[in-house]
Amino acid sequence: MLTVGQRFRRPEPRRRVGDFVRGLLAPLPRKNCWTIAEHAGDAGPDGMQDLLTRVKWDDAEVRADVREFVGHHLGDAEAVLVIDETGDLKKGRHTVGVQRQYSGTAGKIENCQVAVHLVYATESGHAMLDTALYLPKSWCDDPERRAEAGVPEQVRFATKPQLASRMIAAAVTAGLPCRWVAGDEAYGNDPRLAAQLRQLRLGHVLAVACSHQVITALGVYRVDALAAGLPATAWQRVSAGRGAKGYRYYDWSFTALPHAADTHGGHHWLLIRRNRRTGELAFYRCWAPEPVPLRSLVAVAGRRWKIEESFQAAKTGLGLDQHQNRRWTSWHRWTTLAILAHAFLAAATTHRSRPDPAGLTALTVNELRHLFNVLIIEPTRRRCDPLLWSVRRRRHQARAMTSHYARQALTEP
């Protein structure tokens, strides 16, 4: 069971965090402290805003609870830790971390806020685990903006691969079962991240640019030059896993890199993917402590797309990008509660102990969120209709005032 109540000292915030998560799970047209408070039956947003700003609780500890919960329900020794970033478009310059920078969501440079996320992906399911807000150098070097946004003194500039490295190390140190790490070019092009993964004995399949250079028995070559010289027999048709339209088949080739300098031992490969229709190529640097077949590397590369599914579910259904929080603490708390809600749904859609009934399609996170709202949240709200409570509260206040004035009249001379 996902229990985070121990992270809140008083009963009021414990109750309120439950109301907050139920609001994130509900099909509200827009999710912010006003709409979530209204959904919970509160008279105003102050309580929800306090939960994100003034109430004392540690969002990192709550994410640690989420990690333990995910490990219990989805834990798999062959699991893949997927790293990627997502951007939220923002106006102005006062929201923490916002500046003109590249956003993968927009596909171009925009005024936005960027965060690195970690997702736990297995054959049976996937769930969001952790997050880290990227704070650009322009923010790190501006004490006034840092103070205004509540950025802690100990926070220093860190690249996105460094943020990913910290989250991965925390997950491994906590004992989360996993074997692989997957990421796109932003992480594959950083040799320090790959070196740390090898130190942790985590295999990795990290995308690299076409200009990336590798050491072979014949010298140093660009990866696109190596691909151009491959014979037809070097390619194999392998599925990268199921997609929305069925199995995703590509042509794949992998080449051992025996001369890659590495103090951690293991086996290095260059993995190349070719689109069977367009011929477009993608390149991956791979490593594992022991030899693995091509299909294993392809499966890890294909599982990287699970983080895109997680982003879509969290943004369209859980309000991950709908926050209106300008400060460091409130941003992390909102995002943590969205991660908690996603992990709950992800675990509920995972049935490793029994197969899905014949002929029935497995539930998705979005479908389960809809069912949870219809069957549990809404019936509970009807029993505790906020409008009914509002009427009762006004009646109680009226009686109290009448009694007060009556007593006052009796005591006057």
Side-chain angles (χ1 to χ4, degrees):
M1 182 178 181
L2 180 50
T3 303
V4 298
Q6 60 181 330
R7 306 303 182 185
F8 303 87
R9 298 179 182 179
R10 297 177 58 81
E12 293 88 349
R14 282 199 295 270
R15 175 188 61 81
R16 202 172 296 283
V17 75
D19 290 339
F20 197 102
V21 173
R22 280 189 287 272
L24 292 177
L25 292 168
L28 304 178
R30 184 74 183 173
K31 290 182 173 126
N32 54 48
C33 287
W34 283 90
T35 59
I36 291 174
E38 182 181 8
H39 182 268
D42 293 348
D46 294 350
M48 297 303 178
Q49 291 171 347
D50 285 346
L51 182 67
L52 298 180
T53 55
R54 300 182 183 89
V55 176
K56 289 186 178 181
W57 59 282
D58 191 332
D59 53 89
E61 292 180 346
V62 172
R63 292 196 299 276
D65 291 338
V66 171
R67 183 173 57 221
E68 182 179 355
F69 172 80
V70 170
H72 175 73
H73 287 272
L74 276 73
D76 186 345
E78 296 292 319
V80 180
L81 297 178
V82 188
I83 48 177
D84 202 357
E85 65 209 49
T86 185
D88 299 333
L89 302 183
K90 297 291 180 182
K91 296 180 180 180
R93 63 185 298 274
H94 299 291
T95 300
V96 61
V98 166
Q99 73 167 23
R100 285 190 60 79
Q101 54 191 321
Y102 179 78
S103 166
T105 305
K108 57 183 178 180
I109 294 177
E110 289 281 2
N111 203 56
C112 64
Q113 186 182 52
V114 174
V116 180
H117 287 264
L118 182 68
V119 160
Y120 189 76
T122 70
E123 188 175 353
S124 58
H126 55 96
M128 302 181 77
L129 274 187
D130 207 347
T131 186
L133 180 64
Y134 172 68
L135 200 65
K137 278 190 174 182
S138 62
W139 272 84
C140 293
D141 298 338
D142 190 333
E144 185 177 343
R145 291 178 83 188
R146 288 175 61 108
E148 184 180 355
V151 179
E153 282 291 330
Q154 67 270 23
V155 174
R156 295 290 181 266
F157 175 74
T159 64
K160 295 164 190 173
Q162 286 173 333
L163 296 175
S165 176
R166 294 172 188 174
M167 292 189 288
I168 292 169
V172 173
T173 302
L176 185 71
C178 54
R179 184 183 178 188
W180 298 94
V181 172
D184 64 13
E185 293 180 16
Y187 306 93
N189 290 329
D190 189 313
R192 291 169 296 183
L193 174 61
Q196 192 209 20
L197 297 179
R198 292 194 291 272
Q199 185 176 359
L200 293 171
R201 310 306 288 174
L202 286 173
H204 57 75
V205 178
L206 301 174
V208 293
C210 62
S211 59
H212 183 80
Q213 295 184 332
V214 295
I215 301 173
T216 71
L218 300 177
V220 179
Y221 289 88
R222 282 175 50 126
V223 293
D224 54 357
L226 285 176
L230 290 173
T233 55
W235 299 94
Q236 300 182 46
R237 181 173 179 256
V238 182
S239 169
R242 277 186 174 274
K245 299 179 180 180
Y247 287 101
R248 296 170 291 151
Y249 283 100
Y250 296 91
D251 291 332
W252 298 85
S253 174
F254 77 144
T255 303
L257 302 175
H259 290 269
D262 187 3
T263 59
H264 300 104
H267 302 264
H268 293 256
W269 298 274
L270 171 65
L271 178 67
I272 307 174
R273 185 192 73 198
R274 185 175 65 187
N275 188 296
R276 295 177 58 81
R277 182 174 58 85
T278 65
E280 181 183 5
L281 299 177
F283 306 92
Y284 304 84
R285 281 297 300 264
C286 309
W287 179 87
E290 65 284 325
V292 295
L294 171 63
R295 289 184 178 275
S296 296
L297 300 179
V298 170
V300 176
R303 204 166 288 175
R304 187 182 73 82
W305 293 103
K306 295 299 182 183
I307 198 167
E308 301 296 342
E309 296 178 13
S310 296
F311 286 156
Q312 182 181 18
K315 288 186 175 185
T316 58
L318 302 173
L320 179 68
D321 60 343
Q322 295 179 17
H323 63 87
Q324 298 175 349
N325 306 300
R326 288 188 169 186
R327 294 173 63 82
W328 177 272
T329 298
S330 55
W331 182 92
H332 280 86
R333 291 182 172 185
W334 176 284
T335 306
T336 295
L337 295 178
I339 288 173
L340 185 154
H342 184 269
F344 162 73
L345 293 175
T349 57
T350 303
H351 304 287
R352 295 181 300 175
S353 59
R354 63 183 189 278
D356 291 313
L360 296 182
T361 303
L363 281 174
T364 65
V365 165
N366 284 333
E367 289 165 345
L368 180 65
R369 181 178 60 83
H370 174 72
L371 288 174
F372 184 77
N373 180 74
V374 170
L375 299 178
I376 298 177
I377 294 180
E378 284 305 318
T380 303
R381 289 186 72 225
R382 283 195 291 270
R383 288 196 298 269
C384 304
D385 191 332
L387 179 61
L388 179 60
W389 280 108
S390 179
V391 171
R392 290 175 177 172
R393 183 167 59 250
R394 288 198 295 271
R395 288 175 180 171
H396 173 75
Q397 291 171 343
R399 292 193 191 101
M401 291 295 291
T402 302
S403 301
H404 168 75
Y405 288 119
R407 288 195 301 270
Q408 189 176 31
L410 291 174
T411 57
E412 289 180 353

